[in-house]
Amino acid sequence: MSPSDTPRIGYVLKMYPRFSETFVLTEVLSLEEAGASLEIFSLRPPVDARFHADLARVQAPVTWVDSSSVRASEAWQRLREAATRLPRLPGLLPELLEADARDALQAVAVADAAVARGLDHLHAHFGSVATTVARLAARLAGITYSFTAHAKDVFHESVDDDDLRQKLRDAAAVVTVSAYNVAHLRERFGADAGRVRQVNNGIDLDAFAWRSPRQRPRHVVAVGRLVEKKGFGDLVEALHLLRASGDPVTCDVVGSGPLLTELAARVAALGLTDRVRLLGPRTQDEVRAAVSAAAVMAAPCVVGDDGNRDGLPTVVLEAMALGTPVVSTPVTGIPEVVRDGDTGLLVPERDPAALARALRRLLDDADLRERTARAARSLVESGYDRRDQARRLRAMHAEVLAGGHRSRAVEAVPA
């Protein structure tokens, strides 16, 4: 395929770059290395204080779409001007008026840019605001759209089923990251989820080189945002149980989030400040070093009270690639990679005693660590290589643009 034949894909993201969404960065880099031509639209300005070094390798131009509040007169002026360039806009005006004003104006801006720059297709991450804007923009621009459904955008109690159903039905294709998610969406939305396909998040296997965990110190690592669904409170309780039994285990928790104060207070109350460090956010290189230095990775994920949960944490795959055995829970797609007794250990969610036993089992048994780590690496190599992810996404783009799954969003615009 010559450069002139390469489809131009616009990535619509709520916020770019985002420190915690390394899977987006890996996906963009992998697609570009595979020859894709991308542009990125960020619907919110970035707020993170730190950025990953790999961000500098991204070639795609980035447009930070105006997200400020505008006066009604200015909004109408923008619509009036865009209508001269977007002939589908008048027919879609009733739908734009039903949308949130910021979403509608951002959709017009993205559509305007898509037409001006000759984009062929839009792809959003998360079926929430990014897909709302991508869908409207695609309808305005007369192109197709797709999106990747993750977890919060599927399972959280705030998800509007009618809204998600419409997006699933209108999209030319829908990607999600686990077989669990595919089955869940098809069961919940029936034929409207017929275009959902599984494309696994990919790992850069060269950057995450395997190393035997046999000789590592008696140390546990956990990585993720400090939010309920990560289950780090259970981890602290498990570490307390281990300490009470005389176990000298130590633990580093990497990440930040709204539960930092609560978690720090619990660590102090349990007398664990000499055993548990809350390190805050770290770059990809720093996370890789922390995970590869630990004997065990703990990912005690839970289903939150608000329904929120992890889909399949990227850091679990990264630990498996690095040779760090994982203890996790059977939440959503996690058992597809952490297979109890084979590629890691599973314990029930919200069960600190079971978590403590599983951690001790791996910490005590170097042969078990070695065996599960080797099996885990093999599984990641066979199904979670970022190059395979890029091939599958490019094939999906080609399929969509060949008209095999022409978007109803494009077809069904009122005259």
Side-chain angles (χ1 to χ4, degrees):
M1 181 179 288
S2 68
S4 60
D5 296 329
T6 301
R8 305 198 66 213
I9 310 297
Y11 261 58
V12 182
L13 306 168
K14 182 178 180 181
M15 183 181 294
Y16 177 88
R18 195 164 200 177
F19 198 70
S20 61
E21 294 180 356
T22 56
F23 54 86
V24 171
L25 178 58
T26 300
E27 180 175 313
V28 167
L29 287 171
S30 300
L31 282 169
E32 289 188 335
E33 289 175 19
S37 176
L38 306 181
E39 292 211 18
I40 295 172
F41 297 92
S42 176
L43 304 179
R44 305 287 187 272
V47 296
D48 295 314
R50 305 185 69 184
F51 299 99
H52 300 292
D54 279 348
L55 198 62
R57 297 168 50 210
V58 173
Q59 299 297 310
V62 180
T63 299
W64 282 277
V65 184
D66 185 6
S67 61
S68 60
S69 298
V70 298
R71 297 167 55 184
S73 58
E74 184 179 348
W76 280 114
Q77 182 62 26
R78 290 186 188 182
L79 290 174
R80 189 178 297 116
E81 292 174 359
T84 65
R85 299 183 294 272
L86 300 172
R88 302 167 71 91
L89 194 152
L92 287 167
L93 196 53
E95 191 168 349
L96 289 172
L97 292 173
E98 290 181 4
D100 173 86
R102 180 166 59 175
D103 294 348
L105 288 174
Q106 289 195 311
V108 171
V110 172
D112 217 0
V115 170
R117 300 169 194 171
L119 300 185
D120 299 294
H121 178 80
L122 297 177
H123 185 82
H125 267 277
F126 295 94
S128 43
V129 63
T131 301
T132 297
V133 172
R135 175 181 173 274
L136 287 171
R139 288 170 67 77
L140 288 163
I143 59 178
T144 50
Y145 81 96
S146 54
F147 68 99
T148 299
H150 291 272
K152 184 177 182 181
D153 53 329
V154 174
F155 301 110
H156 194 273
E157 63 183 7
S158 65
V159 173
D160 180 335
D161 272 11
D162 291 339
D163 178 65
L164 184 54
R165 181 185 300 280
Q166 183 181 52
K167 292 167 177 171
L168 291 166
R169 185 175 58 239
D170 286 351
V174 180
V175 171
T176 195
V177 298
S178 70
Y180 180 95
N181 277 15
V182 172
H184 174 85
L185 288 167
R186 289 180 178 170
E187 180 180 353
R188 185 165 152 192
F189 296 102
D192 291 321
R195 292 184 179 126
V196 176
R197 67 184 74 189
Q198 180 180 353
V199 178
N200 297 331
N201 277 342
I203 299 297
D204 184 345
L205 294 170
D206 296 329
F208 289 83
W210 191 90
R211 187 172 66 86
S212 170
R214 184 177 288 278
Q215 300 300 325
R216 299 187 196 179
R218 201 172 181 86
H219 180 68
V220 176
V221 68
V223 181
R225 294 193 70 232
L226 306 184
V227 293
E228 182 190 10
K229 68 179 180 179
K230 296 296 182 183
F232 291 152
D234 295 333
L235 174 59
V236 171
E237 299 298 328
L239 293 166
H240 173 61
L241 294 173
L242 290 172
R243 180 190 176 112
S245 67
D247 195 308
V249 63
T250 58
C251 177
D252 284 340
V253 179
V254 178
S256 63
L259 296 184
L260 172 60
T261 301
E262 180 181 322
L263 203 61
R266 191 60 182 155
V267 168
L270 294 175
L272 293 171
T273 52
D274 61 334
R275 301 290 185 88
V276 179
R277 299 191 302 173
L278 304 178
L279 299 181
R282 291 290 186 269
T283 65
Q284 279 182 309
D285 288 343
E286 291 167 335
V287 169
R288 192 159 39 230
V291 173
S292 61
V296 183
M297 151 80 78
C301 302
V302 302
V303 177
D305 292 338
D306 56 5
N308 198 12
R309 67 201 72 172
D310 266 320
L312 205 176
T314 302
V315 72
V316 167
L317 299 171
E318 292 172 349
M320 293 170 68
L322 287 167
T324 305
V326 175
V327 177
S328 193
T329 55
V331 170
T332 59
I334 292 173
E336 294 168 33
V337 296
V338 182
R339 299 170 181 169
D340 190 39
D342 178 17
T343 60
L345 297 181
L346 288 175
V347 299
E349 60 175 304
R350 300 185 187 279
D351 190 340
L355 178 59
R357 289 194 295 272
L359 292 173
R360 173 174 285 164
R361 187 179 166 198
L362 278 167
L363 292 167
D364 285 350
D365 190 339
D367 289 341
L368 179 61
R369 293 202 301 274
E370 181 84 7
R371 178 168 56 79
T372 54
R374 288 189 180 279
R377 173 74 188 197
S378 177
L379 186 145
V380 171
E381 287 180 351
S382 66
Y384 297 86
D385 187 329
R386 69 182 180 93
R387 291 164 293 197
D388 183 56
Q389 178 194 20
R391 280 193 293 271
R392 297 192 64 188
L393 290 175
R394 292 206 76 194
M396 182 188 78
H397 295 152
E399 180 185 342
V400 165
L401 293 172
H405 293 289
R406 185 166 176 76
S407 170
R408 293 179 207 174
V410 172
E411 295 168 344
V413 175

